[in-house]
Amino acid sequence: MKRLILVRYGEIILKGMNRPVFENMLVKNIRKALEDECPLKIHWAQATIYIEPEDDSCVESIVEKLKKVFGIVSIVVAYQGKKDIDDLTNIITENFSKELKGASTFKVVAKRSDKKFHMQSPEICQEVGGRILEKFPNLTVDVKNPEVNVYVEIREEGYVHLDRINGAGGMPSGSNGKAMLLLSGGIDSPVAGYMIGKRGVCLEAIHFFSYPYTSDRAKDKVLKLASILKGYTGTLKVHIVPFTDIQLQIRDKCPEEHLTLVMRRFMMEIAQRIAEKRGCYALVTGESIGQVASQTMAALCVTDDAVTMPVFRPLIGMDKEEIVEISRKIDTFETSILPYEDCCTVFTPRHPSTKPKKEKVILSQNLLDVERLIQEAVEGTETVDM
């Protein structure tokens, strides 16, 4: 009898002839996520990936890492036995006795993938359930809302386990191209990165740093956020763009109501230049429509006009509470609320334009030596490999 981990995926099953490509990519990502764990074997069959660690003590830490791998729908820690009802029942009563003794209701759920097995699924449920009732008189069967679900799976071997653990879902990282995330130190942009990464998009990140108006602690905060995101995306490079000179010139030469919009246009143009060099197909931002003055419909149109690359905004229809809920779930919230300002907050105008005219904003931007400032920022960019 040995303990192993069964990983299941969902959307990949629908990929038809291309399904093996996505399965191989998911297994590759799993291997990378577990490269620091104890030696293990991985194989897959029938939409299930089997992970067999040599050391049983590694199981819990493996599960924690698997919960962050995009493409995984559910994870179970199972015991492998013979395709024999006596053997599987003994494993259940021996290893799940604590859960069964502490409950009053249970249900057996059977899945017979091996159609040659002599019992059908309802018969397996009845037989195993009856034996559990004999062993644990405190229990009764509740098929609608049981306290404990006992799963019996008949595959190439027999497997038993309790409830499933939810995975991150989505598609395997790397299956849908690469994008550049504009990563601030706030709550929204890390969540946007997570949401796009969940769809199989590889990410690189760009951060605009205005030293000394933003401190090294603010940069460290962003790198910590990137490190958390890396737990989901597998890899992540962060491009730190020197932005002080641009912001000072915008402040000194542009009308106050256009400060944020001109700044955002510079950010988008710089991000696009670096994204193109890095083989990215799109930009990703954490904007939510109407959340602040620069995120009105008119303002977003002015911002998007600065680039030709598609701009993805996965949070566009979310309210702040929804975004905060996801940030807590992915463990970025506590870092995001650390009180270190980013460059978007240090030069905030008192009366920003909420219904800007594109032509007027461009005239304001053209008061500056736009090309020189962009080139200097791109050339001065520092890249950190997380």
Side-chain angles (χ1 to χ4, degrees):
M1 177 181 62
K2 62 180 178 180
R3 203 161 62 135
L4 72 164
I5 300 161
L6 307 184
V7 170
R8 292 181 174 85
Y9 43 90
E11 198 171 337
I12 293 174
I13 296 172
L14 305 176
K15 294 302 178 181
M17 298 294 289
N18 291 323
R19 176 172 159 180
V21 174
F22 291 91
E23 290 175 325
N24 279 304
M25 194 168 292
L26 179 56
V27 171
K28 179 182 176 182
N29 292 344
I30 288 173
R31 290 188 187 279
K32 182 171 180 59
L34 303 181
E35 61 187 0
D36 296 329
E37 290 292 339
C38 63
L40 48 83
K41 296 178 182 178
I42 300 178
H43 70 280
W44 70 96
Q46 297 176 321
T48 300
I49 298 170
Y50 300 76
I51 301 174
E52 303 177 30
E54 289 186 8
D55 186 346
D56 190 72
S57 66
C58 296
V59 168
E60 280 70 28
S61 63
I62 289 173
V63 168
E64 286 304 307
K65 291 179 179 178
L66 290 174
K67 288 196 292 188
K68 295 183 176 181
V69 177
F70 291 130
I72 294 176
V73 171
S74 66
I75 306 156
V76 299
V77 178
Y79 288 90
Q80 178 181 311
K82 301 173 184 177
K83 286 193 288 188
D84 176 82
I85 296 299
D86 290 337
D87 186 52
L88 295 176
T89 303
N90 288 336
I91 294 173
I92 291 168
T93 56
E94 180 180 339
N95 292 283
F96 303 149
S97 61
K98 180 181 177 181
E99 291 82 0
L100 294 170
K101 285 179 180 178
S104 57
T105 60
F106 82 107
K107 177 177 74 172
V108 176
V109 181
K111 181 177 180 180
R112 187 186 64 143
S113 298
D114 180 1
K115 302 306 179 185
K116 295 180 181 179
F117 189 69
H118 66 281
M119 298 175 71
Q120 295 185 359
S121 295
E123 296 173 296
I124 296 171
C125 292
Q126 291 172 7
E127 184 64 28
V128 174
R131 296 189 186 194
I132 290 175
L133 287 170
E134 290 177 5
K135 184 75 173 179
F136 300 95
N138 57 295
L139 290 173
T140 57
V141 174
D142 183 345
V143 296
K144 292 186 177 180
N145 189 31
E147 293 177 50
V148 177
N149 288 291
V150 178
Y151 293 87
V152 179
E153 300 191 28
I154 305 297
R155 297 171 175 264
E156 73 286 353
E157 302 288 348
Y159 301 93
V160 295
H161 60 86
L162 299 183
D163 287 332
R164 298 176 173 89
I165 301 163
N166 290 332
M171 294 294 292
S173 294
S175 61
N176 278 313
K178 188 198 289 189
M180 183 67 71
L181 170 68
L182 278 71
L183 182 63
S184 72
I187 295 171
D188 301 340
S189 58
V191 175
Y194 170 85
M195 296 294 287
I196 288 293
K198 187 175 179 178
R199 297 309 305 156
V201 178
C202 277
L203 292 176
E204 294 196 11
I206 187 167
H207 177 67
F208 296 89
F209 185 54
S210 293
Y211 184 84
Y213 298 95
T214 52
S215 67
D216 284 330
R217 289 183 299 180
K219 181 167 72 171
D220 292 342
K221 170 184 171 181
V222 168
L223 294 178
K224 184 175 180 181
L225 288 170
S227 179
I228 296 170
L229 281 178
K230 181 187 174 183
Y232 295 95
T233 61
T235 60
L236 192 64
K237 293 181 184 293
V238 182
H239 307 281
I240 310 292
V241 178
F243 206 54
T244 309
D245 190 30
I246 292 175
Q247 284 200 287
L248 290 174
Q249 293 214 32
I250 293 171
R251 183 194 65 182
D252 294 341
K253 297 180 180 180
C254 296
E256 183 186 10
E257 67 269 20
H258 291 163
L259 295 185
T260 301
L261 290 167
V262 173
M263 180 190 72
R264 293 293 297 172
R265 285 176 62 88
F266 266 101
M267 287 179 170
M268 299 296 276
E269 290 192 65
I270 292 167
Q272 177 169 271
R273 302 257 183 120
I274 295 173
E276 288 172 344
K277 288 183 178 180
R278 298 297 306 164
C280 298
Y281 294 103
L283 305 178
V284 181
T285 77
E287 291 157 318
S288 171
I289 195 161
Q291 188 178 119
V292 295
S294 63
Q295 296 176 21
T296 63
M297 185 79 76
L300 292 176
C301 289
V302 171
T303 300
D304 282 2
D305 177 72
V307 294
T308 58
M309 186 173 278
V311 182
F312 295 157
R313 295 184 172 95
L315 313 185
I316 196 68
M318 293 186 180
D319 61 37
K320 199 66 176 185
E321 288 186 7
E322 292 174 302
I323 298 168
V324 167
E325 183 179 351
I326 297 173
S327 74
R328 291 185 186 278
K329 169 188 166 185
I330 66 175
D331 296 325
T332 57
F333 180 76
E334 295 300 329
T335 301
S336 292
I337 62 173
L338 291 173
Y340 309 132
E341 293 184 311
D342 61 36
C343 70
C344 294
T345 57
V346 293
F347 294 114
T348 303
R350 290 170 297 176
H351 304 291
S353 175
T354 58
K355 296 181 180 179
K357 300 296 183 183
K358 179 182 71 175
E359 295 76 13
K360 291 184 178 180
V361 176
I362 292 173
L363 284 174
S364 296
Q365 183 176 356
N366 287 341
L367 295 172
L368 310 176
D369 189 345
V370 175
E371 185 59 30
R372 177 184 65 81
L373 290 170
I374 289 176
Q375 285 187 2
E376 288 178 354
V378 171
E379 291 170 2
T381 296
E382 168 198 3
T383 297
V384 180
D385 198 348
M386 301 305 298

